Amino acid sequence: MPPPPRKATQTTKAATPRRFVFLLLDKFTMMNFAGAIEPLRLANHVAGEQIYNWVLCGEGTEKTCSNGATFKLDLGLDEMERDDTVLVCGGVDIQKTTTKGVIGWLRREARRGITIGGLCTGAHTLAKAGLLDGKKATIHWENQDGFAEEFEDVKLTKSVYVMDGNRWTTAGGISSIDLMLRIIAGDHGEDLANTVADQLIYSTIRTDQDTQRLSIPTRIGVRHPKLSQVIQMMEGNIEDPMSPADLAEEVGMSTRQLERLFRRYLNRSPKRYYMELRLQKARNLLMQTDMSVINVALACGFASPSHFSKCYRSHYNTTPYRERGTQGMPGIVPVRLSI
């Protein structure tokens, strides 16, 4: 982890620029990659000297990201320098793009003590290599359900980014910018980091204490404290759903009042809303993990596969078995849309 940010009016002259190695996986997302590399470029520009440099590495000679742009690689999976920082750029279909070659290379570099980070779904790759066991980490909110089920030894958070020792992870999207500004501040002072943020027109620098998702009131478009509290309890109790009566009691109202509250603001019953949350998590698990349909049903609070299948079909117009079978088929847009 970088030292605490120093106040500085100028950078400390660096004899050797700090090098970042971007490991590009197939279908990596452009946003998190650009959000990491552009602050480094701007830091060099603002400092008036080469304080950072970077190379692109990976399997093969080039990589195509999820939007179709192709990048030529500078290096293969070679042995890196001890002072390098490796950042794994993940994207869609991360289970397939995390190859045995990549896992083996990351483990080898980790044994040499190199700092390794995962951008967006790159956290999955680090976890698959065993590099996040016992450590705090984060990943894009859409991938959290599957990640939590598969990697129980990782202390998963909902933070924008996490720096736990020499293992770093980001939640995807523009969270890479926040991580890199933190690194620049630690290396060369807050003044430089703030100037880089100004160059990016980035007015609010987030920390590792900030969470990645919008607040419940913002998401549902309603500012009602008791409604938000009930939804928070629902989201936190998917495997063992609470009854409407228990939810109502927790917020000090009757079941009938709770019913009216949901009807008024969300145009559905508490039971229906809760079911949609559970089915949404079930779909994430079906698409992101190899869990059996039975285990997915149990993880989402369904007592039997038949009941789960009936509810799933009613909501999504397909069965859980067919949903899983659509992965990778032409013309089918997967739900693993990492940003």
Side-chain angles (χ1 to χ4, degrees), residues 23 25 58-59 77 97-108 125:
L23 171 61
L25 303 182
E59 295 178 303
L77 299 183
T97 61
T98 299
T99 65
K100 290 182 179 179
V102 165
I103 290 175
W105 181 78
L106 287 173
R107 287 173 175 169
R108 186 186 72 197
T125 305

Side-chain angles (χ1 to χ4, degrees), residues 224 227 253 257-265:
H224 191 292
L227 181 62
M253 60 171 53
Q257 288 173 320
L258 183 66
E259 184 84 20
R260 286 202 297 264
L261 189 64
F262 270 78
R263 290 288 182 187
R264 177 182 177 184
Y265 290 111

Side-chain angles (χ1 to χ4, degrees), residues 52 91 93 122 153 158 184 198 229 253 262 283 306 316 331 333:
Y52 294 109
D93 293 327
D153 293 333
K158 297 181 180 180
I184 292 169
D198 281 341
Q229 190 178 345
M253 60 171 53
F262 270 78
R283 194 178 197 201
S306 59
Y316 289 117
V333 180

Side-chain angles (χ1 to χ4, degrees), residues 92-207:
V92 298
D93 293 327
I94 191 65
Q95 291 87 351
K96 295 179 181 178
T97 61
T98 299
T99 65
K100 290 182 179 179
V102 165
I103 290 175
W105 181 78
L106 287 173
R107 287 173 175 169
R108 186 186 72 197
E109 295 304 303
R111 285 194 294 270
R112 299 177 59 239
I114 288 179
T115 295
I116 301 176
L119 307 183
C120 193
T121 57
H124 180 280
T125 305
L126 266 62
K128 196 72 175 179
L131 306 188
L132 296 179
D133 289 353
K135 292 187 175 293
K136 291 182 180 179
T138 189
I139 196 169
H140 191 278
W141 61 264
E142 193 176 50
N143 299 85
Q144 290 230 342
D145 292 334
F147 188 97
E149 290 289 341
E150 186 170 357
F151 305 111
E152 295 180 355
D153 293 333
V154 181
K155 302 171 184 176
L156 186 62
T157 77
K158 297 181 180 180
S159 300
V160 171
Y161 66 85
V162 172
M163 305 176 82
D164 191 342
N166 61 354
R167 298 291 176 262
W168 307 341
T169 49
T170 75
I174 60 173
S175 61
S176 298
I177 297 177
D178 301 289
L179 173 66
M180 301 313 287
L181 291 174
R182 167 75 177 273
I183 293 167
I184 292 169
D187 288 347
H188 299 284
E190 288 183 349
D191 286 352
L192 179 64
N194 290 338
T195 304
V196 170
D198 281 341
Q199 288 285 321
L200 291 165
I201 320 296
Y202 201 67
S203 58
T204 305
I205 303 175
R206 296 172 296 179
T207 73

